[in-house]
């Protein structure tokens, strides 16, 4: 964000009467640019929107209305039920559920069962579903294949997700599903987080090694995923094979076995996406905090700000300071629960009551801190607040 953009945001918010801080601003023009760029990168494959990376129902609906987008990849079953009640269709729950009350609601709702697909990766999960909703009507399920890269014994890159790695193992699980009453096997998922979710920009030896790992993992997974899909298709007619994420669209969508790819974070372009070599989304989501103290000539203190992203602890999980340029975190405090001191020459020009703009490291987690986003779009060339969209939290939904 440059000085001009900061001034435009300030003017747009003031014109709309939005003067309280913290405030979150969603730039809908940047969102639309990112949606189009993701579609281009997918090269014709449909894109399923990962709702946990948005957590704003109106933004999810806006994304699903765009060309090339179809279906939602939800976080939890209660979220999926909530979305279906509000008109969203074709919802795949990306993680297995043990939520017995939600399963009972699903079993009792014909419309929800037609729209929602549950994820399973073990017979134990099938047992839980049967015990939670005995004698249940047909429930749509999908299988998850472990997509991590394990080139050597004891060496692994990727998330600890499904225990099933091989085509034979996934084929066996598919047969176990088909042998039980009350389940319809309709899909398959494999998320290559070690490709889609790892930054790789830079010339350091580490970044070069990351790029090599990604390339080798992509080649290995393409062969293994194709074999797994073929094994499952021997016993079931699959409606979809979902793969990838924003960071791996090009390689995932080249695989003939994959019918659709998942995207989410790339729609808003969070701070962690500044570190990818092959693409760069526009930053569509910022949040502003008040300067409330000036404890020293080159220090300004913000109220709150400790909105640190999930994942391995590190500086890359801190919010990115977007404006004014040149600010840094005070090393002994960083982003704090009640205050965030920022330092540098730019801090000397800030005054009590000014706004400092930041970007969360991850796309959806800001929505857990805010009740709504101010939606900005250029109207006659001028950035204008055109609406306020409630977050999940603002609508009373806490995803987990």
């Amino acid at each position: 964000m440059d000085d001009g953009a900061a001034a435009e945001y300030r003017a747009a918010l003031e014109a709309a009467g939005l003067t309280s801080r913290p405030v979150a601003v969603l730039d809908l023009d940047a969102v639309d640019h990112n949606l189009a760029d993701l579609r281009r990168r997918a090269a014709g494959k449909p894109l399923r929107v990962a709702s946990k990376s948005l957590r704003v129902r109106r933004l999810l609906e806006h994304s699903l209305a765009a060309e090339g987008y179809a279906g939602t990849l939800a976080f939890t079953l209660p979220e999926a039920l909530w979305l279906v009640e509000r008109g969203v269709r074709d919802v795949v729950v990306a993680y297995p559920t043990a939520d017995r009350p939600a399963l009972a609601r699903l079993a009792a709702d014909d419309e929800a069962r037609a729209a929602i697909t549950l994820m399973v990766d073990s017979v134990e999960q099938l047992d839980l579903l049967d015990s939670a909703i005995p004698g249940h009507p047909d429930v749509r399920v999908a299988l998850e294949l472990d997509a991590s890269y394990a080139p050597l014994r004891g060496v692994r890159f990727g998330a600890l997700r499904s225990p099933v790695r091989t085509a034979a193992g996934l084929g066996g699980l598919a047969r176990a599903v088909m042998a039980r009453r009350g389940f319809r096997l309709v899909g398959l998922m494999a998320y290559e987080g070690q490709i889609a979710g790892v930054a790789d920009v830079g010339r350091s030896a580490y970044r070069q090694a990351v790029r090599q790992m990604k390339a080798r993992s992509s080649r290995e997974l393409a062969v293994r995923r194709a074999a797994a899909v073929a094994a499952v298709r021997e016993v079931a007619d699959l409606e979809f094979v979902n793969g990838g994420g924003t960071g791996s669209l090009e390689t995932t969508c080249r695989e003939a076995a994959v019918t659709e790819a998942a995207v989410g974070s790339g729609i808003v372009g969070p701070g962690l996406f500044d570190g990818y070599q092959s693409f760069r989304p526009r930053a569509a989501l910022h949040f502003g905090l008040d300067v409330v103290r000036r404890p020293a000539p080159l220090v300004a203190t913000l109220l709150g700000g400790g909105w640190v992203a999930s994942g391995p602890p590190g500086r890359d999980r801190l919010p990115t300071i977007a404006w004014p340029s040149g600010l840094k975190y005070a090393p002994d405090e960083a982003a704090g629960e009640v205050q965030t001191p920022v330092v540098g020459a730019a801090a000397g020009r800030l005054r009590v009551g000014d706004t400092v703009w930041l970007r969360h490291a991850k796309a959806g987690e800001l929505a857990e801190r805010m009740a709504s986003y101010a939606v900005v779009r250029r109207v006659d060339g001028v950035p204008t607040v055109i609406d306020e969209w409630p977050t999940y939290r603002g609508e009373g939904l806490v995803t987990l």
Side-chain angles (χ1 to χ4, degrees):
M1 177 185 289
D2 58 22
D3 291 349
E8 289 177 337
Y9 275 9
R10 181 174 63 250
L13 292 167
E14 288 178 353
L18 300 175
T19 56
S20 295
R21 303 290 183 266
V23 65
V25 174
L26 180 70
D27 185 329
L28 207 56
D29 293 321
V31 165
D32 288 344
H33 173 275
N34 292 338
L35 288 168
D37 191 54
L38 290 165
R39 182 175 67 247
R40 175 192 62 79
R41 292 176 56 212
K45 290 282 174 76
L47 294 171
R48 185 178 293 272
V49 181
S51 61
K52 67 92 183 171
S53 296
L54 305 181
R55 304 188 208 197
V56 175
R57 182 169 55 89
R58 294 280 299 279
L59 178 55
L60 174 62
E61 292 168 349
H62 179 85
S63 301
L64 290 172
E67 181 184 350
Y69 293 79
T72 301
L73 194 64
F75 180 21
T76 67
L77 178 55
E79 178 203 3
L81 290 165
W82 183 81
L83 288 172
V84 169
E85 288 172 356
R86 285 152 182 79
V88 178
R89 293 294 177 266
D90 187 9
V91 183
V92 176
V93 181
Y95 301 87
T97 185
D99 191 322
R100 292 173 181 268
L103 286 167
R105 288 171 55 198
L106 177 69
D109 189 329
D110 292 344
E111 184 179 43
R113 286 199 318 280
I116 295 173
T117 302
L118 301 180
M119 193 64 58
V120 297
D121 58 36
S122 71
V123 171
E124 182 182 14
Q125 291 161 3
L126 297 175
D127 293 339
L128 185 147
L129 295 175
D130 279 336
S131 68
I133 42 176
H136 58 84
D138 280 357
V139 174
R140 293 166 55 88
V141 298
L143 308 181
E144 181 162 4
L145 175 72
D146 174 29
S148 65
Y149 181 46
L152 299 170
R153 190 182 191 91
V155 177
R156 176 193 177 97
F157 303 94
L160 292 164
R161 293 175 63 107
S162 170
V164 186
R165 284 192 58 80
T166 66
L170 205 67
L173 182 57
R175 287 188 290 275
V177 172
M178 298 296 288
R180 295 199 183 201
R181 295 181 61 183
F183 295 101
R184 287 183 55 211
L185 178 52
V186 299
L188 189 157
M189 175 181 172
Y191 172 61
E192 52 268 43
Q194 72 280 6
I195 305 172
V198 181
D200 59 4
V201 71
R203 298 182 179 180
S204 68
Y206 170 75
R207 295 300 188 191
Q208 293 178 32
V210 167
R211 291 193 288 273
Q212 292 175 4
M213 179 276 293
K214 286 186 173 188
R216 292 172 181 172
S217 176
S218 178
R219 291 192 293 270
E220 183 274 338
L221 179 60
V223 174
R224 184 159 54 89
R225 181 156 43 196
V229 171
V232 174
R233 286 195 183 277
E234 288 180 1
V235 297
D237 293 326
L238 297 179
E239 296 176 12
F240 66 88
V241 176
N242 180 277
T246 295
S248 66
L249 278 184
E250 287 82 359
T251 54
T252 302
C253 291
R254 281 200 296 265
E255 295 183 33
V258 173
T259 67
E260 63 176 39
V263 295
S265 298
I267 294 172
V268 299
L272 281 174
F273 275 20
D274 293 347
Y276 284 75
Q277 180 172 258
S278 60
F279 68 98
R280 178 66 61 86
R282 289 186 183 173
L285 183 59
H286 293 81
F287 66 96
L289 301 177
D290 276 332
V291 175
V292 294
R293 283 178 171 157
R294 290 299 317 280
L298 298 182
V299 181
T301 302
L302 314 180
L303 187 65
W307 300 352
V308 180
S310 59
R315 293 194 65 82
D316 64 347
R317 304 290 147 165
L318 297 175
T320 298
I321 302 173
W323 186 89
S325 62
L327 289 182
K328 296 181 180 179
Y329 290 111
D332 292 338
E333 296 192 49
E337 177 188 8
V338 295
Q339 69 170 34
T340 297
V342 290
V343 302
R349 296 188 291 273
L350 291 170
R351 297 293 177 262
V352 170
D354 286 347
T355 299
V356 170
W357 290 100
L358 305 97
R359 295 160 58 214
H360 204 284
K362 299 188 81 172
E365 294 182 14
L366 178 62
E368 297 296 343
R369 298 283 186 169
M370 304 296 301
S372 65
Y373 291 169
V375 181
V376 170
R377 190 186 280 287
R378 287 189 173 271
V379 178
D380 296 328
V382 179
T384 304
V385 176
I386 61 168
D387 207 346
E388 280 191 81
W389 288 353
T391 62
Y392 279 6
R393 185 172 289 271
E395 292 198 74
L397 177 70
V398 179
T399 51
L400 197 63

